[in-house]
Amino acid sequence: MKTQYTAFTLALLIGVLLAGCAGRAEQYGVLLWSPDEEAVASGSRVTITDESDINDTYTVIGLENDSETEIPRARVRAFESEDDAQAFQDEYAELASSYGRSERRALPIRAEMSAQSQR
C-alpha cells in the first residue's frame, strides 16, 4: 500500500512539473511605432514571447540580432496567427512611416472618428 501511495505521489509530482514547463501559445505582432528606427523599422513583424501586465509590455524577438526586447504594448499590435500578422503588416506598410503631431495640448487620439470611441 505504501509503495502504491509513493508511486502515485511521484507520478502526480512529475505530471505537475511537466505541465508547468509547457509554453504558452506563440503570438505574433507588428511593430506600430519603433522605439529605435535604426535598429528596426516601424511596421516590422515580430514574435511575442512574453507579456507583462505589471510593466504593460511585450517581450518580442525579431529586433536587432534576434535578441529579446521589451516593447510597450501600445507600440505592438498582437495576433494569434502568423498569417493574420502578415496580412496586417502588408496593409500597414503604406502607413508605417506616417506620423501625426497635434498643435493642441492633451488632444485625445481615438481609435475611430467618434467622440465615444476608445482613446
Side-chain angles (χ1 to χ4, degrees):
M1 182 72 168
K2 186 176 179 179
T3 306
Q4 288 177 337
Y5 177 74
T6 304
F8 175 75
T9 304
L10 185 60
L12 183 63
L13 181 62
I14 290 172
V16 169
L17 289 174
L18 289 176
C21 294
R24 69 189 261 288
E26 225 174 39
Q27 280 189 304
Y28 302 91
V30 175
L31 190 58
L32 301 175
W33 178 23
S34 177
D36 183 1
E37 284 290 330
E38 290 185 20
V40 63
S42 296
S44 298
R45 193 163 28 111
V46 295
T47 301
I48 300 170
T49 60
D50 198 14
E51 182 174 356
S52 171
D53 290 330
I54 294 171
N55 296 331
D56 197 26
T57 59
Y58 288 125
T59 302
V60 301
I61 294 176
L63 300 177
E64 187 177 299
N65 300 326
D66 286 337
S67 62
E68 288 191 342
T69 306
E70 212 171 50
I71 302 283
R73 279 194 254 194
R75 292 180 179 231
V76 180
R77 173 109 183 246
F79 298 91
E80 294 297 323
S81 78
E82 193 170 7
D83 292 337
D84 291 343
Q86 180 65 51
F88 180 79
Q89 182 185 24
D90 294 343
E91 242 178 74
Y92 187 69
E94 183 180 321
L95 303 172
S97 61
S98 300
Y99 293 90
R101 181 171 177 236
S102 171
E103 297 293 326
R104 301 178 105 185
R105 289 183 180 199
L107 180 68
I109 306 298
R110 301 198 178 262
E112 298 174 6
M113 293 189 303
S114 167
Q116 288 77 32
S117 74
Q118 182 180 4
R119 287 182 180 208

